[in-house]
Amino acid sequence: PVMAAQRATRVAAHATAPPSAVKGNFVYSGRETLGEEDVREMVVQDARAASRPYDIHRDGFCMVPGVPTQVVDMYDKLEVERVYYKEVEELLKQQLGAKRVIPFDHIVRNKARLAEETAVTGTDSGTTPFLKPVVQNVHNDYTVRSGFSRAAQLLAPHAEPEAIEKALKGRFAIVNVWRPLATVEKDPLAMLSWELTQPEDVQTIKLVYTHREGEVYRVFPSDRHQWSYWSKMDPNEVLLFKTFDSETAPGVAQFALHSAFEISGQGDAPERQSVEVRSLVFFDDDAIDLAPAFRAPHLTPSPDSDSRVSLVDRKIMPQIPGQY
């Protein structure tokens, strides 16, 4: 948490919202210290009125309508594992042409439910597994390096080293499937197209856990950033977005910066409810039979079951100019 004195809301130069857009506050990172925030009011374009459809390979994200689920209770971790993970696998194979999909993590977000549960427990944790509030800071879950290391960490208990090495030499991605559990009226998720992202926009943060290390990107503000969201998303619509792609060819998105944002005037609208599943996505035939007995580590007794407990340090890493 940062003190109020560290926060300053600035209005971007292009913050005049056309009819198909809204204004909203985005929490960027300040450049001075880790934890410093730079809050900017930005115009957010409604992607439903976009002049062209968004493409996950080009932009880093897309929205897929008409995707019902058979899950009755998304707050039941075992039902999510048993039913929803399989739905996610089939969806990503269908939409991306993937040959092997391995869901490895999921989170449910509901600020109101979390507040009710923490009031009972007297801690910052609720009783529903993997229940968290929305993330209102611009970020990406991995870097161009940590996508490789995270995939190797996840696969190590479930596949031979030679099979892992071969799979990671082929094309693979880490893709988030994001679904609202009720029509979104508050704190929607906004996406930034890959073509609007530059290396100077991000800085690598090393995360040191008790059992592993990882990297994420924190993000600095830029007048180049033009954000998009889908208004009033409903439970039969899903966002797909890449947080890593090993493909480095020109015109292929390696990731999509993203953030929940506070719509100007959203007031007392119902809190957002959503579920997201992260998956390893492999595109080569060699990976079809990779790690057949894989089970998401956060569903087993392990440090991955609560990263807030296992996280011990965060460090700003030096950045090479012009490189991610």
Side-chain angles (χ1 to χ4, degrees):
V2 298
M3 297 178 66
Q6 293 178 276
R7 302 187 64 155
T9 302
R10 305 178 189 176
V11 180
H14 54 275
T16 300
S20 59
V22 297
K23 291 182 181 180
N25 291 332
F26 282 75
V27 181
Y28 284 95
S29 293
R31 294 182 179 271
E32 299 301 321
T33 61
L34 188 59
E36 179 190 5
E37 296 179 351
D38 187 342
V39 184
R40 302 291 180 104
E41 184 183 64
M42 308 285 287
V43 169
V44 191
Q45 178 69 40
D46 189 346
R48 299 188 191 277
S51 59
R52 64 164 175 81
Y54 286 98
D55 179 87
I56 190 169
H57 294 298
R58 178 189 61 229
D59 299 294
F61 60 92
C62 66
M63 193 275 281
V64 185
V67 186
T69 176
Q70 297 301 310
V71 177
V72 175
D73 183 6
M74 283 290 186
Y75 297 101
D76 181 340
K77 65 178 184 179
L78 296 181
E79 184 180 9
V80 170
E81 179 187 26
R82 185 179 67 255
V83 180
Y84 196 49
Y85 280 16
K86 291 181 173 59
E87 294 178 346
V88 166
E89 289 182 44
E90 291 307 310
L91 176 67
L92 292 177
K93 287 179 180 179
Q94 177 190 59
Q95 293 293 321
L96 306 185
K99 300 301 176 66
R100 175 80 169 109
V101 176
I102 303 176
F104 67 85
D105 185 25
H106 82 272
I107 297 170
V108 284
R109 302 193 188 274
N110 184 333
K111 183 178 178 181
R113 179 171 177 145
L114 182 60
E116 292 175 358
E117 293 185 3
T118 55
V120 173
T121 63
T123 70
D124 62 354
S125 298
T127 54
T128 300
F130 322 126
L131 177 63
K132 297 182 180 181
V134 299
V135 178
Q136 287 186 322
N137 69 282
V138 183
H139 68 286
N140 190 58
D141 304 24
Y142 304 97
T143 68
V144 295
R145 294 162 298 279
S146 68
F148 287 100
S149 58
R150 184 61 176 140
Q153 292 161 355
L154 288 163
L155 293 170
H158 307 283
E160 295 297 324
E162 296 79 8
I164 296 173
E165 182 180 4
K166 188 174 184 179
L168 299 190
K169 284 182 177 178
R171 185 186 177 192
F172 76 98
I174 302 177
V175 178
N176 193 318
V177 176
W178 187 95
R179 178 192 295 267
L181 303 182
T183 299
V184 179
E185 306 282 353
K186 187 176 186 178
D187 300 332
L189 187 64
M191 310 299 302
L192 187 66
S193 179
W194 170 249
E195 65 183 4
L196 299 173
T197 306
Q198 294 294 326
E200 60 264 28
D201 297 341
V202 302
Q203 186 173 51
T204 298
I205 303 299
K206 177 182 281 189
L207 304 178
V208 181
Y209 298 93
T210 55
H211 61 304
R212 65 180 178 89
E213 293 185 350
E215 290 181 349
V216 300
Y217 284 133
R218 70 171 184 164
V219 185
F220 303 128
S222 170
D223 287 340
R224 188 188 341 99
H225 292 173
Q226 298 177 31
W227 291 91
S228 299
Y229 85 117
W230 276 264
S231 60
K232 297 187 182 298
M233 281 188 66
D234 69 50
N236 287 323
E237 296 178 315
V238 296
L239 271 178
L240 311 182
F241 60 94
K242 291 193 285 188
T243 53
F244 172 83
D245 193 335
S246 65
E247 179 58 71
T248 58
V252 177
Q254 288 187 267
F255 54 82
L257 300 178
H258 54 281
S259 178
F261 73 99
E262 179 184 322
I263 300 174
S264 298
Q266 69 181 15
D268 296 327
E271 298 291 349
R272 192 190 89 195
Q273 301 179 53
S274 59
V275 59
E276 58 207 66
V277 177
R278 297 188 185 104
S279 298
L280 296 174
V281 178
F282 296 89
F283 294 92
D284 296 344
D285 288 334
D286 290 340
I288 287 177
D289 297 320
L290 181 66
F294 183 92
R295 191 180 188 209
H298 73 304
L299 293 168
T300 64
S302 77
D304 278 311
S305 61
D306 193 340
S307 61
R308 294 170 301 177
V309 175
S310 57
L311 179 65
V312 295
D313 197 12
R314 298 190 301 161
K315 302 176 182 178
I316 297 176
M317 304 302 292
Q319 205 85 1
I320 299 174
Q323 296 185 22
Y324 284 109

